[in-house]
Amino acid sequence: QVQLVQSGAEVKKPGASVKVSCRASGYSFITHGLSWVRQAPGQGLEWMGWISAYNGDTNYAQNFQGRVTMTTDTSTRTAYMELRSLRFDDTAVYYCARDGEVAGLFDYWGQGTLVTVAS
Amino acid sequence: SYVLTQPPSVSVAPGKTAKITCGGNNIGDKSVHWYQQKPGQAPVVVVYGDSDRPSGIPERFSGSNSGNTATLTISRVEAGDEADYYCQVWDSGSDLHVFGAGTKVTVL
């Protein structure tokens, strides 16, 4: 079955960087793109960007352009999301989500990774 | 940028029907997906492509989409349906994904 397993919780200081991983299994990795979605405490879902697992093309939401980098490693079937220059309001749960067969659908989600930015 | 508008909360008695709306400019021209999120858990698709259900999702969950409003309907509501529900579309014009702010469904 399809599974997306993310790395564990992180605590970072303001100004630092964090890199979250998302390891895929149960399907052909390169056939589905992956998005990253975050959720601040008590808030809604915010789409951060997308990466093609086939060729590494990316599409970042404007709010994160210049601060985020999404990559994949096809040899380990893992996607990565690095966020730089962390601020207190970057504290959130970060999810990876797989593209579904229908346009725009996120059919499988990782379990989420809590990133806490604290001094 | 494209905006989706949801009511913050909906309350419903067990056994009754809950309707959650998602408003957007000509949203009827887009494919709308609905996610259920329970506390501490990742979102789960309950309706995709306006009105299709993934396997394992009860028939009590249905969707529609026309004009400027998409609607998620939960029939015969159960206590286990209490959760946050988010609508989402992919805006092809801007190539961006957009979520509604979410609706908290409370079962009375």
Side-chain angles (χ1 to χ4, degrees), chain A residues 7-87:
Chain A
S7 48
E10 303 260 14
V11 179
K12 297 291 183 181
K13 293 190 181 303
S17 298
V18 68
K19 192 169 186 178
V20 179
S21 68
C22 170
R23 180 168 47 86
S25 62
Y27 71 97
S28 176
F29 182 67
I30 62 172
T31 60
H32 292 263
L34 287 160
S35 281
W36 290 88
V37 177
R38 79 175 185 180
Q39 186 171 37
Q43 302 301 309
L45 302 171
E46 180 180 21
W47 179 74
M48 300 178 66
W50 169 89
I51 183 165
S52 166
Y54 175 71
N55 61 12
D57 283 353
T58 55
N59 179 24
Y60 300 141
Q62 189 169 10
N63 284 352
F64 299 96
Q65 284 184 4
R67 269 204 320 140
V68 71
T69 300
M70 297 176 187
T71 56
T72 59
D73 182 342
T74 55
S75 68
T76 60
R77 306 165 60 86
T78 302
Y80 299 91
M81 186 283 299
E82 181 180 35
L83 190 61
R84 299 177 294 277
S85 302
L86 288 169
R87 309 185 290 247

Side-chain angles (χ1 to χ4, degrees), chain A residues 35 37 39 43-47 50 59-62 95 99 102-112, chain B residues 31 33 35 37 40-45 47-49 84 86 88-90 94-101:
Chain A
S35 281
V37 177
Q39 186 171 37
Q43 302 301 309
L45 302 171
E46 180 180 21
W47 179 74
W50 169 89
N59 179 24
Y60 300 141
Q62 189 169 10
Y95 295 100
D99 282 355
V102 175
L105 174 65
F106 302 131
D107 60 355
Y108 289 92
W109 294 63
Q111 84 275 20
Chain B
S31 185
H33 315 301
Y35 303 88
Q37 187 181 35
Q41 297 183 19
V44 171
V45 183
V47 166
Y48 68 94
D84 294 323
Y86 294 90
Q88 178 250 326
V89 300
W90 171 58
S94 60
D95 196 16
L96 300 176
H97 292 269
V98 181
F99 286 96

